[in-house]
Amino acid sequence: MVRKGDRFVVIGGGRVGTAVGYLLAQAGRSVAAVACRSEESLEKVREYLPYTYLTTDMVKAARKGNVLLLTTPDDLIADACVTLASAGVVKRGSYVVHMSGALGLDVLAAAEEAGAATASVHPLQTFADVRGAVRKIPGSVFAVTARDPRTGEWAEDLVRLLGGEPVRLEEENKVLYHLGAVLASNLLVALEHAAELLYQEIGMEGEKALKALLPLIEGTVSNLRRLGTERALTGPVARGDIGIIRRHLEKLEEEGREEHLHVYVALTRFALDLAEAHLSRSRSQEIAELLERYT
Ligand SMILES: NC(=O)c1ccc[n+]([C@@H]2O[C@H](COP(=O)([O-])OP(=O)(O)OC[C@H]3O[C@@H](n4cnc5c(N)ncnc54)[C@H](OP(=O)(O)O)[C@@H]3O)[C@@H](O)[C@H]2O)c1
């Protein structure tokens, strides 16, 4: 269990670190220090944590607490951990946690060697700013990975303290887990960009293209929420309209739009996977063969 007397230190007061510090303080916990690289960023943290010790020296910050939350950019977590462990500020019995979705616990090896319990707690959400993170962290699913069952329970408790819903994740599955998140979020944005580019070409200039697409995107998300992936799928694949799929493919090939063609073929295969239960075997087979010709 996270104890009432635990003192939290945030190393990396950015979007996630500041919001987590704020939510912990709101929950009545002691947020003893926050470290950032620049004074400018510390000023922003001050708006959320006016009574917390703020510094650009992560070692000084870490001295103040027994639970260290490493919320720097992912590439810096291992180095930050080594810096703290070699400075002797990671104590036996303390906790060192990171919040990256892709990284395992190996990046916290230096803290483990120093006798700390290590874990990662990753909110399955996207945060563009601190305000959004404060709003969205409560209610988010968090993937919890820990070295041992006791630390796992402790980390789950930490997630609940933030208002999140913990889900256990084995360390070896972290990369696949993160790939799922990237497909569902970052590459969904990239996919909307692919659609936006086509619309801009046919006369919807600048932001008009996305504006036109947004109600469709929102309708799709709403269907996903209500009906799940299989029933939310509409369009030519769901209907088995092979003539339309053929037209799309021919057009993309004719105009040499290779990137769009690759994406279309790959995603139509996943769509076919969802639609198969509702299509005749022969129609599914025809669509699969058509796609094969464009691979
Ligand atoms: N944003 C998201 O959507 C999201 C979602 C889930 C998980 N996460 C995870 O949350 C973690 C933090 O991400 P973020 O988006 O909050 O990053 P961020 O907004 O870029 O913040 C990173 C912070 O780390 C600080 N920092 C960098 N080097 C430092 C150093 N040597 N000493 C002290 N502070 C240092 C930066 O300070 P300066 O500003 O002064 O450079 C900055 O405040 C990452 O592991 C990320 O994978 C993020």
Side-chain angles (χ1 to χ4, degrees), residues 277-290:
H278 312 285
L279 297 178
S280 70
R281 221 190 155 92
S282 59
R283 184 40 57 102
S284 287
Q285 188 70 27
E286 273 180 276
I287 297 175
E289 282 166 13
L290 175 63

Side-chain angles (χ1 to χ4, degrees), residues 42-118:
L42 288 178
E43 279 313 306
K44 290 192 200 143
V45 177
R46 203 179 306 282
E47 290 170 31
Y48 288 87
L49 292 161
Y51 308 112
T52 293
Y53 173 67
L54 305 178
T55 173
T56 53
D57 183 336
M58 69 164 87
V59 171
K60 271 192 188 162
R63 277 205 181 95
K64 304 265 179 207
N66 67 316
V67 180
L68 308 183
L69 305 175
L70 306 190
T71 50
T72 62
D74 287 3
D75 285 350
L76 303 178
I77 293 173
D79 281 354
C81 189
V82 168
T83 303
L84 297 173
S86 4
V89 289
V90 177
K91 301 279 185 242
R92 184 161 294 280
S94 63
Y95 291 89
V96 179
V97 179
H98 75 68
M99 300 189 67
S100 158
L103 298 176
L105 299 177
D106 49 331
V107 292
L108 303 180
E112 208 178 327
E113 279 160 29
T118 58

Side-chain angles (χ1 to χ4, degrees), residues 100-152:
S100 158
L103 298 176
L105 299 177
D106 49 331
V107 292
L108 303 180
E112 208 178 327
E113 279 160 29
T118 58
S120 77
V121 297
H122 174 256
L124 192 53
Q125 249 304 354
T126 168
F127 310 116
D129 53 27
V130 178
R131 211 153 69 111
V134 166
R135 195 166 43 82
K136 290 194 279 185
I137 284 176
S140 289
V141 165
F142 279 67
V144 171
T145 305
R147 212 24 117 214
D148 58 80
R150 219 170 128 246
T151 311

Side-chain angles (χ1 to χ4, degrees), residues 1-3 29 144 151-163 166:
M1 287 286 278
V2 177
R3 288 166 305 169
R29 303 304 167 127
V144 171
T151 311
E153 278 168 32
W154 176 89
E156 286 187 356
D157 201 35
L158 171 64
V159 168
R160 282 189 281 266
L161 203 54
L162 294 168

Side-chain angles (χ1 to χ4, degrees), residues 72-286:
T72 62
D74 287 3
D75 285 350
L76 303 178
I77 293 173
D79 281 354
C81 189
V82 168
T83 303
L84 297 173
S86 4
V89 289
V90 177
K91 301 279 185 242
R92 184 161 294 280
S94 63
Y95 291 89
V96 179
V97 179
H98 75 68
M99 300 189 67
S100 158
L103 298 176
L105 299 177
D106 49 331
V107 292
L108 303 180
E112 208 178 327
E113 279 160 29
T118 58
S120 77
V121 297
H122 174 256
L124 192 53
Q125 249 304 354
T126 168
F127 310 116
D129 53 27
V130 178
R131 211 153 69 111
V134 166
R135 195 166 43 82
K136 290 194 279 185
I137 284 176
S140 289
V141 165
F142 279 67
V144 171
T145 305
R147 212 24 117 214
D148 58 80
R150 219 170 128 246
T151 311
E153 278 168 32
W154 176 89
E156 286 187 356
D157 201 35
L158 171 64
V159 168
R160 282 189 281 266
L161 203 54
L162 294 168
E165 188 192 321
V167 171
R168 282 293 180 100
L169 179 71
E170 293 301 323
E171 189 173 11
E172 73 228 38
N173 293 331
K174 277 213 87 168
V175 177
L176 283 182
Y177 160 82
H178 194 244
L179 268 168
V182 168
L183 279 172
S185 174
N186 315 140
L187 296 188
L188 181 62
V189 175
L191 189 62
E192 299 311 339
H193 180 53
E196 177 185 58
L197 287 174
L198 291 181
Y199 277 26
Q200 282 168 344
E201 272 189 45
I202 57 172
M204 295 186 209
E205 282 160 28
E207 289 171 8
K208 279 190 194 153
L210 182 61
K211 211 169 158 212
L213 287 164
L214 270 173
L216 176 63
I217 299 167
E218 282 160 3
T220 308
V221 171
S222 157
N223 287 345
L224 277 169
R225 181 173 292 121
R226 274 189 321 116
L227 307 168
T229 46
E230 202 175 299
R231 288 174 61 211
L233 185 74
T234 57
V237 181
R239 289 191 297 268
D241 273 341
I242 193 167
I244 303 292
I245 302 170
R246 188 177 292 112
R247 272 188 196 215
H248 289 163
L249 290 164
E250 283 171 359
K251 182 78 175 165
L252 290 172
E253 191 181 50
E254 196 181 291
E255 296 194 355
R257 297 177 189 272
E258 266 187 48
E259 305 291 322
H260 278 89
L261 184 61
H262 282 143
V263 169
Y264 187 94
V265 170
L267 291 181
T268 301
R269 286 209 170 97
F270 283 108
L272 192 56
D273 187 38
L274 288 173
E276 252 164 6
H278 312 285
L279 297 178
S280 70
R281 221 190 155 92
S282 59
R283 184 40 57 102
S284 287
Q285 188 70 27
E286 273 180 276

